[in-house]
């Protein structure tokens, strides 16, 4: 990790941060960036892969990347080795990790939870809600202006309310993570800003940050001014790609 990566954390980290949202908005990629940048900044980081719904876009697929950066990974234990398709058995490690983070008075121990999509994925969190809410946690609701079924802010807020009801946790901020996969340009990110702000306003929440792919910044060669038109801009690497790309 470089010094630039250490400086990229977009906001102060809570001891426990839950990353949730609609299917396909890019929760896992955001969680990976947050975990890796936190480790680069000197935090003791645990990333908990709680996505027991989607077999393709999961933090567990990036174990080597995380371990090389010093990030501890907690992931579901599946019935058959080498597959993500069996019924998962979620261990109690998450509750233990959350307790450790809350006990660390230095604030340098953090847990990032990559939750499954929508209310189905959020249901798995309910088991751990008391442990996660035992201290000053954050729950970040990730939105993508270009994602089907939540392109209207009201629809995105409706999904958020379902997630909160199923997880027994309350969202604390919204993250704008609008993208068109490999076709994403900085113009798309700027275009998405009003959508993210509208979702946050309707939900009564602040905007934690708005992401922009580092690959798009480099391609357009905009340099240090790349995020000038993006409030609370957070430059992220695109680690998670479709298996067919």
């Amino acid at each position: 990790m470089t010094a630039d990566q250490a400086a990229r954390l977009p906001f102060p980290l809570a001891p426990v941060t839950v990353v949730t949202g609609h299917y396909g908005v890019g929760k896992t990629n955001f969680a990976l960036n947050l975990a890796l940048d936190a480790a680069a900044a000197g935090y003791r980081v645990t990333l908990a892969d709680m996505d027991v719904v989607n077999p393709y876009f999961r933090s567990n697929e990036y174990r080597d990347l995380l371990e090389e950066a010093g990030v501890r990974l907690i992931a579901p234990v599946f019935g058959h080795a080498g597959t993500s398709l069996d019924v998962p058995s979620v261990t109690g490690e998450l509750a233990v990790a959350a307790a450790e983070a809350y006990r660390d008075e230095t604030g340098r121990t953090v847990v990032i939870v990559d939750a499954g999509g929508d209310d189905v994925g959020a249901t798995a969190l309910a088991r751990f809600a008391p442990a996660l809410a035992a201290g000053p946690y954050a729950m970040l609701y990730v939105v993508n202006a270009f994602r089907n079924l939540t392109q209207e802010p009201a629809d995105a807020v409706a999904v958020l309310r379902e997630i909160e009801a199923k997880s027994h946790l309350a969202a604390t901020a919204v993250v704008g993570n609008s993208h068109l996969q490999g076709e994403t340009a900085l113009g798309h990110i700027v275009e998405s800003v009003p959508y993210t702000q509208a979702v946050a306003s309707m939900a009564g929440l602040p905007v934690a940050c708005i992401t922009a792919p580092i690959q798009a910044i480099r391609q357009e060669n905009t340099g240090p001014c790349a995020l000038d038109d993006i409030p609370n801009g957070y430059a992220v690497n695109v680690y998670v790609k479709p298996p067919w790309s």
Side-chain angles (χ1 to χ4, degrees):
M1 294 292 172
T2 67
D4 288 341
Q5 286 175 296
R8 281 211 305 265
L9 282 174
F11 44 76
L13 292 178
V16 172
T17 298
V18 180
V19 179
T20 189
H22 179 47
Y23 293 115
V25 295
K27 299 181 300 299
T28 293
N29 196 73
F30 176 76
L32 287 169
N33 275 273
L34 204 59
L36 292 168
D37 286 346
Y43 287 89
R44 180 172 172 253
V45 184
T46 296
L47 177 61
D49 179 358
M50 293 294 293
D51 190 348
V52 298
V53 179
N54 193 330
Y56 295 112
F57 306 108
R58 300 180 57 242
S59 299
N60 193 34
E61 304 299 324
Y62 305 89
R63 181 180 294 273
D64 291 346
L65 174 68
L66 293 165
E67 290 181 349
E68 183 179 348
V71 176
R72 176 193 177 204
L73 178 66
I74 297 174
V77 178
F78 290 85
H80 296 92
T83 179
S84 296
L85 300 177
D86 202 7
V87 177
S89 172
V90 181
T91 73
E93 290 181 87
L94 176 54
V96 174
E100 291 175 351
Y102 286 134
R103 283 198 302 267
D104 185 356
E105 296 180 356
T106 69
R108 303 304 291 177
T109 300
V110 296
V111 177
I112 298 168
V113 181
D114 177 14
D118 290 14
D119 57 329
V120 177
T123 299
L125 288 175
R127 171 183 170 188
F128 302 100
L132 297 177
Y137 75 93
M139 186 161 86
L140 306 180
Y141 182 57
V142 181
V143 298
N144 179 349
F146 307 116
R147 188 73 177 100
N148 291 338
L149 304 180
T150 56
Q151 291 180 324
E152 294 297 326
D155 294 332
V157 174
V159 172
L160 169 60
R161 298 311 180 206
E162 293 173 356
I163 289 172
E164 290 179 318
K166 290 291 186 179
S167 68
H168 305 297
L169 298 168
T172 59
V174 173
V175 169
N177 190 56
S178 298
H179 64 89
L180 293 167
Q181 295 185 355
E183 302 301 317
T184 308
L186 284 180
H188 294 125
I189 309 303
V190 175
E191 176 189 340
S192 75
V193 170
Y195 167 85
T196 301
Q197 293 172 331
V199 173
S201 177
M202 291 181 66
L205 298 170
V207 175
C209 64
I210 295 176
T211 68
I214 290 174
Q215 289 83 340
I217 294 172
R218 290 172 177 165
Q219 184 175 3
E220 298 183 29
N221 197 27
T222 49
C225 64
L227 302 181
D228 285 355
D229 296 325
I230 304 171
N232 306 101
Y234 177 34
V236 297
N237 277 295
V238 179
Y239 298 109
V240 180
K241 299 176 182 178
W244 53 86
S245 66

